[in-house]
Amino acid sequence: MQPCYYLLQLMRQSENKTLILFSTVYSKMSPLSREPIRELYETIRLNLIADRPGDDLELVTDKFFRNLFPVAYHHAIHSDVLHGTERGRSASTGVSNRDFHSDYKNCLVHTYDELKPFGMVPQQLSSSLVSSVSSASVLLRALREGSEVLLKLEEVGVSAPSCRKALLRMNYCGSCKRYNHLHAKPCAGLCQNVMRGCLIEFVGALNKGWSTLTEAIVPLISTVRSQDGIETEIKSLDGKLSNAIMNAMEIGPELEKQ
C-alpha cells in the first residue's frame, strides 16, 4: 500500500539521520546508542503496520531514555565537567569510547526518575509519538480494509452470472478498450452501464458502510497530515532526541553534584 510504503521509507530516512547525528555530534555516545535507537524505530514501525495498536510504544520510549541516560552521562555530561587532568587521563586511557561498569550504569538508571536529566522531552516525545502513530495506524488499517472491500466487490461483480454476457459484449466495444473513445457512438457508455448493472444489487448493502468508512477516513487524513501528525513527528525525531541530550548537557554541573 502506497501510504504505508511512504511512511516506512520516511522512517528509514529518519533512522539514518538519527544514527548519523549521533555518530557526528555525539560520537563518543554513538557505539552504545545504536541498538537503543534501532529498537525505538523498530517499535514505531511495528506499531504503524500492526493490525491492532500495541501498548509497548510508550514503554519502549521510556526505556530508550532511561538506558540513554548512563551513556549520555558517562560520554557527554560527565566528561564535560571533568577537570583538565581527569579529562586528559580519560582520553589517554580511551575510557570514553568503551562501555562502563554495570553497577555504575544501574546506579544512574535508578536515579533517572529523580534527576530527570532530559527535562520534559521524554514525556512530550512519548505523548506525541503515541498519538501520531495511533492515528496513522488507524488510517492505514482503514485503507487496508477499504481495499479489501473493493477487491471482494470486484470479484463478486465479475463472477455474477447475470453479468457474464454483458461483460462479453464489452470485449467488442472499442470505447471500453479506450480505442476511438470519442467516435465509438454505438457503445460509448456501454462499459459504465454494464458495471453499474453488475454492481447495483451490491451497492445498497455496501453504501452505508462505505459512506461511514469515507467519513471516518477524511478527518484521519487531516490528523495524520497536520503539524502534530506522523509525518512531522518522524521528520523531527532526530532533532527531539538531540534536544534531550543538549538539555542534559546544560544541567550537567547540577547532575554532577546530585
Side-chain angles (χ1 to χ4, degrees):
M1 180 180 291
Q2 194 65 24
C4 184
Y5 176 77
Y6 169 71
L7 289 177
L8 291 178
Q9 284 288 93
L10 208 60
M11 286 292 303
R12 281 189 281 271
Q13 293 171 9
S14 177
E15 182 177 359
N16 288 336
K17 281 177 60 181
T18 301
L19 290 172
I20 291 172
L21 172 73
F22 272 71
S23 65
T24 55
V25 180
Y26 309 110
S27 56
K28 294 180 180 178
M29 294 173 52
S30 180
L32 298 177
S33 302
R34 285 183 170 273
E35 194 56 36
I37 290 171
R38 284 173 176 153
E39 182 181 0
L40 176 63
Y41 275 93
E42 181 63 19
T43 303
I44 297 173
R45 274 191 288 267
L46 291 175
N47 275 265
L48 272 176
I49 63 178
D51 289 333
R52 291 292 179 268
D55 57 358
D56 57 345
L57 182 54
E58 188 173 1
L59 295 175
V60 170
T61 305
D62 178 76
K63 177 186 174 184
F64 170 80
F65 283 105
R66 196 175 293 273
N67 292 336
L68 184 66
F69 174 43
V71 180
Y73 183 83
H74 186 69
H75 295 299
I77 302 168
H78 184 61
S79 62
D80 283 346
V81 297
L82 286 173
H83 295 295
T85 55
E86 292 174 320
R87 184 184 293 112
R89 185 162 58 251
S90 295
S92 63
T93 57
V95 171
S96 62
N97 291 321
R98 297 201 305 267
D99 201 354
F100 41 97
H101 198 279
S102 59
D103 290 342
Y104 178 58
K105 184 186 298 184
N106 290 335
C107 178
L108 290 171
V109 170
H110 290 149
T111 61
Y112 173 82
D113 290 325
E114 179 184 353
L115 296 178
K116 293 182 172 55
F118 303 120
M120 294 301 296
V121 175
Q123 291 88 339
Q124 293 169 351
L125 179 58
S126 176
S127 176
S128 61
L129 267 179
V130 169
S131 176
S132 61
V133 171
S134 297
S135 297
S137 178
V138 171
L139 175 61
L140 292 176
R141 289 202 306 275
L143 291 174
R144 284 197 297 269
E145 291 172 4
S147 66
E148 290 171 3
V149 169
L150 288 176
L151 288 173
K152 289 179 181 178
L153 181 59
E154 184 182 46
E155 292 173 2
V156 170
V158 170
S159 62
S162 60
C163 296
R164 291 175 183 171
K165 290 184 179 180
L167 290 172
L168 181 60
R169 285 202 308 272
M170 286 175 58
N171 288 329
Y172 299 97
C173 175
S175 179
C176 293
K177 293 184 176 181
R178 298 182 181 179
Y179 299 140
N180 300 320
H181 177 73
L182 298 176
H183 304 290
K185 300 296 183 183
C187 60
L190 178 63
C191 46
Q192 292 183 9
N193 291 334
V194 167
M195 294 314 298
R196 286 196 190 102
C198 286
L199 302 178
I200 191 65
E201 59 181 298
F202 309 107
V203 170
L206 293 172
N207 186 54
K208 184 178 180 180
W210 185 256
S211 298
T212 302
L213 176 64
T214 54
E215 288 173 3
I217 283 179
V218 170
L220 276 173
I221 292 175
S222 299
T223 301
V224 167
R225 300 187 67 181
S226 68
Q227 187 175 356
D228 300 322
I230 186 65
E231 185 174 352
T232 302
E233 188 66 30
I234 293 175
K235 289 180 178 179
S236 63
L237 194 51
D238 60 320
K240 291 183 177 181
L241 297 181
S242 181
N243 287 340
I245 298 173
M246 292 300 295
N247 184 87
M249 293 175 69
E250 287 177 5
I251 63 172
E254 184 63 28
L255 291 175
E256 189 75 7
K257 291 177 184 179
Q258 296 181 50

